[in-house]
Amino acid sequence: MSDKMITMKDIARELGVSVATVSRALQDSPRISESRRQQIQQYAREHNFIPNVLAESLRNSRVQPLKIIGVIIPEFVHYYFSSILHGIEEKAEACGYRIIVAQSGESYEHEAKLCRWFYESMVCGVIVSQAKDTHQYDHFQRLIDAGVPVVFYDRICTGVNASRVVVDDYMGAFNAVSHLLKTGCRRIAYYGSKLNMEIAKNRFNGYKDALLKNGIPYDERLTRICDNRREAERITPDLFDGDSYPDAFFTVNDDTALGVLYAVKHMGLRVPEDISICGFTNGIEAVSCDPMLTTIEQNGLKVGEEAASVLIGHVEGRIPIDKVERRIVRTRLIIRGTTR
């Protein structure tokens, strides 16, 4: 069986009829001629069409069947994603919904399979954070075309016109770097993700704009693609090989910041006297290190609650299915011991 989903919209286009005609034919409506019904039904069988009746019935009936939301997270290991999941579950349960959770493992292929599996499982909607290596978006678009609402959180997909809930990544990064500059730092290294994701672009731009606003020229030699602790521990000593090394680090998440902290302390440098460090998350790790980590608080619980609220609004018709809802959750700078 192909992993490619076919929708009523696809059938209508291929057979030169309206989506309404396809829908009626699949329901064996006498309003459609027998020959047309057979043609449409045969095409649907041959192309493994599976109708998602749950999403449609939720929008059009006061008698609601079992309400299930599919949730895709990149990895279970991050505190931030677990806090978002907690927020989704709390809001969903309060509204009478259940959730099914799966992780993409940062894999485009697995993410696409999960979307198809959720569709076949007849979930009423999907909440998803895009995998790092996702480069095609047909699997998301097919859900939307099939009438299944999709809401992105954290890592949004700009290639699909769907609702999204994010934190103010740009301002979070801008405020973090501004704080480092106010405390006297001038050569601030940046550890971030590849710029194929909107979240990475926004944080990188916040970093650069804070430098420029304070009259500090951007130095690409201080920028690295690094978004995990292991890599941070490995590459940080390299930045100190020359005569002009960094006096601070701003990292895309707390996990990476702790890798920097470990590396510079292992090199005999003092934090924050010699090196200042600021992360981005404010998870449990941030208060489990010595010194405790200055970081940007993302409020994953609120992100999850908002994502579930938007998804349920689409499902129940309070937010039109074709309306793109954009919500931003504010961040907050938490100053602790790794900055002066």
Side-chain angles (χ1 to χ4, degrees), residues 212-229:
L212 296 174
K213 184 178 180 181
N214 287 272
I216 306 296
Y218 166 67
D219 186 348
E220 65 178 9
R221 294 173 298 176
L222 296 175
T223 300
R224 296 288 188 278
I225 300 300
C226 175
D227 60 6
N228 62 78
R229 177 170 181 159

Side-chain angles (χ1 to χ4, degrees), residues 293-313:
L293 184 66
T294 293
T295 188
I296 296 294
E297 182 180 66
Q298 290 183 267
N299 197 350
L301 186 69
K302 179 69 172 175
V303 171
E305 290 173 349
E306 290 292 321
S309 177
V310 172
L311 191 283
I312 293 169

Side-chain angles (χ1 to χ4, degrees), residues 155-314:
R155 303 179 193 164
I156 64 173
C157 176
T158 56
V160 173
N161 201 30
S163 294
R164 68 279 310 267
V165 178
V166 296
V167 300
D168 55 346
D169 294 292
Y170 173 88
M171 283 307 302
F174 184 92
N175 290 336
V177 176
S178 296
H179 168 67
L180 291 169
L181 291 166
K182 286 176 184 176
T183 61
C185 300
R186 289 297 177 266
R187 290 186 53 77
I188 303 171
Y190 175 81
Y191 282 3
S193 303
K194 293 180 181 178
L195 297 181
N196 62 313
M197 294 185 294
E198 199 70 12
I199 181 175
K201 294 176 186 175
N202 289 337
R203 293 184 188 180
F204 181 58
N205 288 334
Y207 160 76
K208 285 204 303 182
D209 287 354
L211 293 177
L212 296 174
K213 184 178 180 181
N214 287 272
I216 306 296
Y218 166 67
D219 186 348
E220 65 178 9
R221 294 173 298 176
L222 296 175
T223 300
R224 296 288 188 278
I225 300 300
C226 175
D227 60 6
N228 62 78
R229 177 170 181 159
R230 178 182 297 178
E231 190 68 4
E233 290 180 9
R234 186 184 69 82
I235 71 171
T236 296
D238 296 341
L239 272 71
F240 293 86
D241 282 347
D243 296 330
S244 185
Y245 51 80
D247 56 13
F249 287 80
F250 170 59
T251 70
V252 74
N253 56 46
D254 288 354
D255 188 52
T256 304
L258 293 185
V260 174
L261 178 61
Y262 176 87
V264 298
K265 287 176 71 174
H266 191 70
M267 294 167 61
L269 297 169
R270 298 170 300 165
V271 178
E273 293 85 357
D274 300 322
I275 300 291
S276 291
I277 303 170
C278 183
F280 205 119
T281 301
N282 195 36
I284 190 66
E285 294 176 317
V287 293
S288 302
C289 54
D290 181 27
M292 289 192 288
L293 184 66
T294 293
T295 188
I296 296 294
E297 182 180 66
Q298 290 183 267
N299 197 350
L301 186 69
K302 179 69 172 175
V303 171
E305 290 173 349
E306 290 292 321
S309 177
V310 172
L311 191 283
I312 293 169
H314 281 310

Side-chain angles (χ1 to χ4, degrees), residues 26-39:
L26 293 174
Q27 296 176 47
D28 234 10
S29 170
R31 295 175 61 183
I32 308 300
S33 69
E34 183 178 353
S35 60
R36 178 66 81 182
R37 288 202 311 268
Q38 290 180 356
Q39 178 195 29

Side-chain angles (χ1 to χ4, degrees), residues 53-55 57-59 61-68 96-97:
V53 295
L54 181 54
S57 63
L58 278 169
R59 283 191 289 277
S61 174
R62 291 182 178 274
V63 180
Q64 297 183 336
L66 186 63
K67 299 181 288 188
I68 305 292
Y97 288 74

